[in-house]
Amino acid sequence: MIRVEIAKLFRRPRTYVIAGLLCALPFVVAVFLATTRIPPPPGQGGAFLSAVLSNGSLYPAAAMALVMPVFLPVSVAVLAGDSVAGEASQGTLRYLLIRPVGRTRLLVAKLVALIVFVLFAIGAVLLTSFLTGITMFGGEPAAGVAIPADVTSLSGVTITPFGLVMRLLATVAYIVISMLSVAAIALFLSTITDSGLGAAMGALAVLVTSQVLVTLDAAAAIRPYLPTRYWLAWVDFFRDPILWRDIERGAGIQLVFLVVLLGAAWANFMTRDISN
């Protein structure tokens, strides 16, 4: 069942269209930075956009900072919202469950396919942004292989190629956890409606509300528990020493949302009356 869902994911053109659009934003930003050589003013823009002007090896981190706040969550919400509700609206969900496939197994297969998509999308952004950064901003790979040369951290300390790779892997892990919490919201809504668009829009409404409350002083009491509060905490991986406080809090919050909402999605899906 998992193989079927993954194959279905990569047979659909929208998977590649979404990945292409995610890669396009960092490329467009790189073109403007490379042609103007004008960094963002202090306190504005991605934390890495000024640094990449001197070493393009750091551009994958800048690219993730660009797609993380909006484009990647929207993509995940759209696919997760359509995962169950889309099958129901097309009338295929009933036929899937007529086969000897348990509801739990089907839901797990949907979740695994979403994890694969998140990894595929992030991998595409990292690869294309690394090639874009090296091409447009310099910073040749070390020893002629695809390992970036030394770069300077946000704290002004040099990061070795191995250290940069490890920090990028940690960043990917953190972003995957964050995006899975988005998927859990949309997947839960997808089990209570037959509209994939409705489930996706509901998940996005939750995220937009969270973003607004994060910036609202009156909501300071609940700010640490909002799903988007620590989305960009992975930036601290690129400081030296690494600042773990926000990273640990962010990962903990995302795991709580993930477990609770996946449990709610499973409970609702197990008792749902499939009439279409």
Side-chain angles (χ1 to χ4, degrees):
M1 192 64 192
I2 291 176
R3 289 196 299 269
V4 171
E5 289 298 324
I6 293 176
K8 188 188 302 183
L9 172 71
F10 287 107
R11 282 200 305 266
R12 291 176 173 173
R14 71 179 183 185
T15 301
Y16 304 99
V17 171
I18 291 173
L21 292 174
L22 287 171
C23 296
L25 174 62
F27 178 78
V28 171
V29 172
V31 169
F32 280 102
L33 287 175
T35 54
T36 63
R37 312 299 294 188
I38 301 175
Q44 299 182 28
F48 302 94
L49 290 183
S50 297
V52 299
L53 292 179
S54 59
N55 194 323
S57 299
L58 201 56
Y59 195 61
M64 293 312 305
L66 290 171
V67 303
M68 177 69 175
V70 177
F71 293 95
L72 187 56
V74 169
S75 303
V76 172
V78 168
L79 289 184
D82 190 58
S83 57
V84 175
E87 300 277 11
S89 65
Q90 295 170 16
T92 57
L93 185 58
R94 182 178 61 179
Y95 296 104
L96 281 174
L97 296 178
I98 287 176
R99 301 168 60 191
V101 176
R103 295 192 180 198
T104 299
R105 187 178 174 188
L106 178 60
L107 203 60
V108 169
K110 296 287 187 183
L111 180 62
V112 172
L114 289 171
I115 294 173
V116 171
F117 168 75
V118 172
L119 290 172
F120 172 71
I122 292 175
V125 171
L126 291 177
L127 177 61
T128 57
S129 59
F130 175 72
L131 296 176
T132 299
I134 292 298
T135 302
M136 295 189 178
F137 305 110
E140 293 298 327
V145 295
I147 301 177
D150 290 354
V151 298
T152 301
S153 71
L154 296 179
S155 304
V157 179
T158 299
I159 302 176
T160 64
F162 178 77
L164 180 60
V165 171
M166 290 298 101
R167 290 165 196 250
L168 283 174
L169 290 176
T171 295
V172 170
Y174 187 89
I175 292 175
V176 167
I177 293 173
S178 300
M179 291 302 98
L180 286 182
S181 71
V182 175
I185 297 172
L187 190 60
F188 167 68
L189 295 175
S190 186
T191 63
I192 62 178
T193 178
D194 290 343
S195 171
L197 179 60
M201 292 302 294
L204 293 177
V206 171
L207 299 178
V208 170
T209 301
S210 175
Q211 288 284 55
V212 171
L213 293 177
V214 164
T215 63
L216 190 65
D217 290 337
I222 64 170
R223 186 181 299 158
Y225 310 105
L226 295 172
T228 62
R229 169 62 179 85
Y230 297 104
W231 264 5
L232 295 179
W234 58 264
V235 171
D236 290 336
F237 281 125
F238 295 89
R239 305 186 193 277
D240 203 329
I242 296 174
L243 303 180
W244 289 101
R245 188 188 69 169
D246 284 355
I247 293 173
E248 292 171 351
R249 290 181 177 179
I253 289 295
Q254 302 305 328
L255 287 174
V256 169
F257 275 100
L258 182 60
V259 171
V260 171
L261 288 168
L262 284 181
W266 175 81
N268 187 68
F269 190 55
M270 292 298 290
T271 58
R272 177 172 175 174
D273 179 24
I274 308 298
S275 57
N276 294 321

